Amino acid sequence: RVALVEGSSANYKITTREDIHMAVKTGIGYDVHRLVPGRKLILCGTPIPSNLGLDGHSDADVAVHALMDALLGAAGLGDIGRHFPDTDEKYKDADSMKLLAEVKGMLGNVRIVNVDVTIIAQAPKLAPYIDQMNQNIANTLGIPESAVNVKATTEEGLGFTGRGEGMAAMATAAIEGSF
């Protein structure tokens, strides 16, 4: 006999072994780069018009570097220095969005629940570029834009970011899977 019973959003499907023991893990990332003349400013894969760019071995995308560390941290896979050392010429001027795609591959069979990135910079104003940054990250990670949140803030003229000497970024990431 077929019977109808009331369901609940707390009931999870169990179809395969991977459906059992699903857990969510989180990671935190942080990165800093100095601002210098003669370099392009690229944040979350988006070129930003500026007289100064970020100094680094790769394209120095401070926001994506923080995000990569957050994802690697959530998966317990160390940090970007371990996987993409600045002593390796292969990563000289590397596109950080391509490195982000490599990090996604390292995560294995997990679902990226959401990512959140804060860029700390006195100038330039980043609000006009945030939507593109969200799209770039979502496309690279293969997740909905609703699972990506990029924002920017200043430090009211305080510290190295406030003086325009550099930029910093913080990121968090949540992944779900069978660990």
Side-chain angles (χ1 to χ4, degrees):
R1 289 194 148 182
V2 176
L4 183 63
V5 292
E6 185 87 18
S8 167
S9 62
N11 286 336
Y12 292 98
K13 75 164 182 72
I14 300 178
T15 306
T16 65
R17 179 174 170 78
E18 288 77 27
D19 294 331
I20 301 171
H21 304 294
M22 297 297 276
V24 175
K25 292 188 173 188
T26 60
I28 300 170
Y30 178 78
D31 197 33
V32 172
H33 284 277
R34 183 181 317 276
L35 282 163
V36 296
R39 292 274 299 191
K40 292 180 182 176
L41 178 58
I42 300 170
L43 296 169
C44 300
T46 305
I48 310 292
S50 176
N51 294 329
L52 300 173
L54 294 169
D55 191 24
H57 187 66
S58 67
D59 63 8
D61 188 332
V62 69
V64 171
H65 292 183
L67 176 55
M68 290 174 11
D69 269 345
L71 288 164
L72 289 167
L77 296 174
D79 63 17
I80 63 173
R82 175 176 158 191
H83 298 282
F84 310 104
D86 62 6
T87 55
D88 190 334
E89 282 303 306
K90 171 169 58 173
Y91 302 115
K92 178 79 174 137
D93 298 320
D95 179 340
S96 292
M97 295 303 286
K98 289 181 180 175
L99 300 180
L100 179 61
E102 286 189 45
V103 167
K104 182 185 186 294
M106 291 176 198
L107 299 178
N109 190 25
V110 301
R111 180 175 77 89
I112 298 171
V113 178
N114 75 302
V115 298
D116 186 51
V117 179
T118 302
I119 302 167
I120 305 161
Q122 195 64 34
K125 294 296 181 196
L126 300 176
Y129 308 100
I130 297 293
D131 288 343
Q132 184 62 55
M133 292 180 195
N134 285 327
Q135 289 172 11
N136 291 348
I137 290 171
N139 290 340
T140 300
L141 295 178
I143 60 177
E145 278 187 57
S146 60
V148 178
N149 188 55
V150 176
K151 56 200 175 296
T153 188
T154 70
E155 290 193 299
E156 304 291 330
L158 300 173
F160 74 92
T161 60
R163 291 187 300 271
E165 297 169 8
M167 290 185 179
M170 299 181 292
T172 61
I175 60 174
E176 179 181 58
S178 298
F179 302 106

